Amino acid sequence: MKQNVQRKIINIKVGSKNPVKINAATTAMAQLFPDSIIEVKGMDAPSGVAAQPMTDSETRQGAINRVHYCQQQDTQDTKGDYYFAMEGGVDNFDFGPATFAYIAIGHKDQLAIGRSAILPLPMQVYRALEAGEELGHVMDRLFNTINIKQKGGAIGLLTHGHATRESNYTQAIILAMAPLLNPDIYAQTC
């Protein structure tokens, strides 16, 4: 005789309405909590940084700002269990320019931060970003695509589809969740 088990609902608010970010949050949490029902809602959340963050620290701050904004918008009736923000940025490292994303996750009074893998960028792309363009627009022009940032992103284009913006975000979310999945271990200071 099969028991009717009530599945836990996990409510997630994502600081963006971009389907790539919403899908990454949904996929990551479904992998981490396979016995739960994952409900994800996107909302417009300002980053408080440039539309195209150009440094590691600016990108990180944009993700944190989005999470805090989402948390501040919620009332007791609409409270999320988790708040996610993914902020894509670029920086010029010792090895050359690259793009990456910061992940910020709010849960109760905790804030977990993670960063995605990086994708080296061609210097011509980086120069266009320095001139004030956004990565998605530069890639659309270079590859003759439309709105690639809501699809595979620069990652999909430059890896010939072997990785995508969504797959990169999904992995980064799973890794950033480690402190929230293991709070006792991460709370230890020795």
Side-chain angles (χ1 to χ4, degrees):
M1 189 161 137
K2 213 176 196 184
Q3 282 187 319
N4 189 7
V5 178
Q6 187 76 4
R7 293 173 64 192
K8 180 181 178 188
I9 297 173
I10 298 175
N11 288 303
I12 300 164
K13 304 289 177 81
V14 175
S16 174
K17 289 187 175 179
N18 184 324
V20 168
K21 295 178 180 184
I22 292 168
N23 291 341
T26 304
T27 300
M29 293 300 276
Q31 288 179 33
L32 292 170
F33 301 100
D35 296 329
S36 297
I37 297 169
I38 309 299
E39 294 185 354
V40 181
K41 182 178 184 207
M43 62 188 302
D44 290 322
S47 68
V49 299
Q52 178 58 71
M54 293 297 291
T55 66
D56 186 84
S57 61
E58 183 183 21
T59 307
R60 181 179 182 271
Q61 191 60 54
I64 293 168
N65 291 348
R66 288 180 193 271
V67 162
H68 288 322
Y69 179 86
C70 291
Q71 289 172 316
Q72 293 165 358
Q73 300 310 304
D74 263 1
T75 64
Q76 195 59 37
D77 295 338
T78 64
K79 199 138 187 80
D81 296 305
Y82 293 90
Y83 300 86
F84 286 16
M86 291 145 257
E87 186 72 24
V90 298
D91 207 335
N92 196 5
F93 299 98
D94 293 342
F95 53 85
T99 185
F100 51 87
Y102 265 97
I103 309 299
I105 303 171
H107 176 64
K108 298 179 182 175
D109 62 346
Q110 297 173 288
L111 180 66
I113 304 292
R115 193 174 92 174
S116 72
I118 63 168
L119 173 72
L121 288 175
M123 190 52 76
Q124 66 177 347
V125 171
Y126 184 72
R127 293 285 179 240
L129 302 177
E130 282 186 312
E133 292 187 67
E134 286 185 50
L135 182 57
H137 299 151
V138 174
M139 298 309 290
D140 280 340
R141 186 175 66 248
L142 189 62
F143 284 88
N144 197 28
T145 55
I146 298 171
N147 200 17
I148 197 63
K149 70 181 185 176
Q150 291 195 0
K151 299 172 188 160
I155 294 169
L157 293 173
L158 292 171
T159 66
H160 295 204
H162 292 284
T164 63
R165 191 174 188 211
E166 185 176 324
S167 68
N168 198 32
Y169 287 167
T170 299
Q171 180 190 45
I173 291 168
I174 291 170
L175 297 177
M177 282 289 294
L180 303 176
L181 298 171
N182 303 283
D184 294 340
I185 297 171
Y186 281 85
Q188 296 175 9
T189 57
C190 52

